[in-house]
Amino acid sequence: MDTTLLWTEKRVFNAIGIALNFFVIGLFAHSVFMPIMAKDLVAKLPTPTLDVGSTSMKIIAEYSTEIRSKEFDAKIKNKYPKAIIVDVDSGIKHIKLTNYYDGRPVKINVVEIDNKLAKKYELVPALASNTLNNREQIGEIARENNSIIALNGTFFKPQTGVPLGTLMINEKIYTGPIYDRVAMGIFEDGYDVARVKLDAKITSKNNTVRVDNINQPRMLATYVLVYTSDWGVSSPPTPKYGLQLAVEKDRIIKKSAAPLDIPHNGYVIAGPASLLSKFEVGENVNFDILTNPEWQGVKHIISGGPYLVKDGEVFVDMTAEKLGAIGGKNPRSAIGFTPENNLILVAVDGREGHSVGMTLMQLARFMKSIGCVQAINLDGGGSTVMYVNGEIVNSPQQKGGIPISNAILFKEKS
């Protein structure tokens, strides 16, 4: 702690104390020495009041914020000694730096956020549009959502834009996990990271069937998938020996081996006929969705993979999450947080002479070096793009970045 700050803080509190003492002494002298003939007049005047408690607390809060802001400034300058540091807003720093790996340059953009200083903002995932099968450049997504910071989000299917992996926005699950890949849970007062599994089922009076995924491309013919209106107008083709059920307002309204229109107030279940033929048209059903971990109180979930930092240590489980295809030096995007719950967003340029990109292991070590206790890789390559205060700040191969499915935004609370 800076001793000058402590000394200054003491002076402020001493000044407050002295002022209050003079105020009390003044009131006492005024009551004792006031001329008798003026007492009746004074009694008829409104009594002045001073809310000493609230005034003092306001001064203390403002001064505490000032101290925290100075400490945050000093911490960032110390952490990134050779970087260009830009103040975006209170508690939000944009850091531009160049690191060298094996003598080759890598340009890195970092946004670090002290959430207690930037308390008028929140972290929120956002889709490119109202349905899953669309893509937009990150600048458009950020502007449509009045965001001050944006970074590309989950992996997605290039042909359609459908996110690949867990995506929850405002407590609504849009897509389920793939290969139980790692995801970040975003809560009112912090973050958590874990590999996420889906625990969902369709239940009627006499039958129950496990749901393997939600709004995801089919991986096995044996899977039971649920498609909501977020997927689009109709469900995808039925697997061989499969069946589909249309459910509206918790009631089965249609059965078919062909794709079905997705009810606006419902969903379509698609899977093996051996499992779904037990359900009858007109039957009432419940669709229960849980995740493992349950993450009570989670507001948003955004997935990526693999892990980069787990419990303060470098941890890259690329093989376990079936992400072998994204090895090598590439543009990278990552998200993590520090022990103090400071949020860190990172975009690494690559595939060009002035910045060769990073391997996942290099990225993991970098995230640990800047203080992350938990960090995950997000979609990278051509998707890597960072937006700060109205501008794209990294150098994606396509101007403005390629159109993407979704982004992670830091925006004013609504």
Side-chain angles (χ1 to χ4, degrees), residues 52-83:
V52 176
S54 62
T55 303
S56 300
M57 291 305 295
K58 183 179 179 182
I59 294 171
I60 292 168
E62 290 174 353
Y63 197 68
S64 177
T65 299
E66 184 180 345
I67 291 171
R68 187 178 184 93
S69 181
K70 288 180 179 178
E71 288 178 343
F72 183 54
D73 290 347
K75 185 185 294 183
I76 295 298
K77 287 175 184 176
N78 183 61
K79 187 188 290 190
Y80 308 98
K82 297 180 180 179

Side-chain angles (χ1 to χ4, degrees), residues 176-348:
I178 291 180
Y179 301 120
D180 305 336
R181 285 176 180 162
V182 68
M184 175 180 278
I186 303 166
F187 300 78
E188 190 70 41
D189 57 354
Y191 316 101
D192 197 8
V193 166
R195 291 186 65 178
V196 174
K197 296 181 180 181
L198 187 68
D199 183 9
K201 59 186 178 181
I202 301 288
T203 306
S204 70
K205 184 177 180 181
N206 298 312
N207 295 292
T208 298
V209 64
R210 180 177 181 268
V211 173
D212 295 286
N213 222 323
I214 301 168
N215 290 331
Q216 290 288 13
R218 179 169 294 282
M219 297 169 68
L220 294 173
T222 56
Y223 277 4
V224 174
L225 300 178
V226 166
Y227 297 95
T228 70
S229 57
D230 301 306
W231 173 269
V233 175
S234 62
S235 59
T238 313
K240 190 176 182 181
Y241 309 119
L243 185 66
Q244 299 200 20
L245 309 175
V247 178
E248 185 174 31
K249 295 181 179 178
D250 298 328
R251 181 175 170 271
I252 298 173
I253 60 170
K254 194 170 185 179
K255 266 187 181 185
S256 175
L260 293 171
D261 290 341
I262 302 174
H264 180 69
N265 294 317
Y267 49 89
V268 168
I269 312 165
S274 59
L275 295 174
L276 300 184
S277 60
K278 303 171 186 177
F279 296 91
E280 298 297 335
V281 173
E283 222 178 340
N284 290 324
V285 294
N286 292 320
F287 182 21
D288 299 312
I289 309 171
L290 293 173
T291 60
N292 184 7
E294 283 192 37
W295 275 346
Q296 293 290 332
V298 69
K299 294 180 67 177
H300 318 287
I301 302 175
I302 188 156
S303 70
Y307 261 110
L308 297 172
V309 181
K310 183 179 182 182
D311 300 328
E313 299 298 330
V314 168
F315 183 83
V316 181
D317 57 342
M318 184 168 58
T319 303
E321 296 192 32
K322 295 181 171 53
L323 286 165
I326 65 169
K329 290 189 175 182
N330 287 294
R332 301 285 183 191
S333 299
I335 186 170
F337 57 93
T338 69
E340 303 86 7
N341 263 334
N342 283 7
L343 181 70
I344 294 181
L345 304 172
V346 171
V348 176

Side-chain angles (χ1 to χ4, degrees), residues 10-248:
K10 287 179 181 178
R11 285 200 306 170
V12 170
F13 286 112
N14 287 339
I16 293 170
I18 291 167
L20 292 176
N21 286 336
F22 273 116
F23 179 76
V24 172
I25 291 168
L27 287 178
F28 176 76
H30 191 259
S31 65
V32 172
F33 298 108
M34 181 184 293
I36 300 299
M37 60 187 298
K39 282 187 176 179
D40 292 338
L41 176 61
V42 172
K44 294 177 182 178
L45 296 176
T47 305
T49 60
L50 174 64
D51 191 346
V52 176
S54 62
T55 303
S56 300
M57 291 305 295
K58 183 179 179 182
I59 294 171
I60 292 168
E62 290 174 353
Y63 197 68
S64 177
T65 299
E66 184 180 345
I67 291 171
R68 187 178 184 93
S69 181
K70 288 180 179 178
E71 288 178 343
F72 183 54
D73 290 347
K75 185 185 294 183
I76 295 298
K77 287 175 184 176
N78 183 61
K79 187 188 290 190
Y80 308 98
K82 297 180 180 179
I84 298 171
I85 300 169
V86 177
D87 290 320
V88 181
D89 203 343
S90 176
I92 307 175
K93 304 283 188 181
H94 173 216
I95 302 106
K96 294 180 76 77
L97 66 155
T98 302
N99 283 1
Y100 289 84
Y101 298 88
D102 301 322
R104 306 288 301 279
V106 177
K107 293 191 177 298
I108 308 168
N109 280 271
V110 179
V111 169
E112 186 157 343
I113 298 165
D114 183 324
N115 288 299
K116 290 185 178 178
L117 292 173
K119 54 191 173 186
K120 71 177 182 179
Y121 297 99
E122 62 180 342
L123 187 68
V124 180
L127 289 164
S129 73
N130 293 328
T131 56
L132 298 171
N133 56 350
N134 281 288
R135 297 188 296 152
E136 275 189 347
Q137 286 187 309
I138 198 168
E140 291 302 311
I141 299 174
R143 282 187 285 272
E144 287 167 6
N145 290 275
N146 298 315
S147 306
I148 193 167
I149 305 290
L151 181 67
N152 64 289
T154 69
F155 298 101
F156 60 91
K157 196 171 179 64
Q159 299 89 333
T160 62
V162 173
L164 298 174
T166 314
L167 181 64
M168 174 191 279
I169 304 173
N170 292 322
E171 301 181 16
K172 175 183 175 181
I173 291 185
Y174 284 82
T175 53
I178 291 180
Y179 301 120
D180 305 336
R181 285 176 180 162
V182 68
M184 175 180 278
I186 303 166
F187 300 78
E188 190 70 41
D189 57 354
Y191 316 101
D192 197 8
V193 166
R195 291 186 65 178
V196 174
K197 296 181 180 181
L198 187 68
D199 183 9
K201 59 186 178 181
I202 301 288
T203 306
S204 70
K205 184 177 180 181
N206 298 312
N207 295 292
T208 298
V209 64
R210 180 177 181 268
V211 173
D212 295 286
N213 222 323
I214 301 168
N215 290 331
Q216 290 288 13
R218 179 169 294 282
M219 297 169 68
L220 294 173
T222 56
Y223 277 4
V224 174
L225 300 178
V226 166
Y227 297 95
T228 70
S229 57
D230 301 306
W231 173 269
V233 175
S234 62
S235 59
T238 313
K240 190 176 182 181
Y241 309 119
L243 185 66
Q244 299 200 20
L245 309 175
V247 178
E248 185 174 31

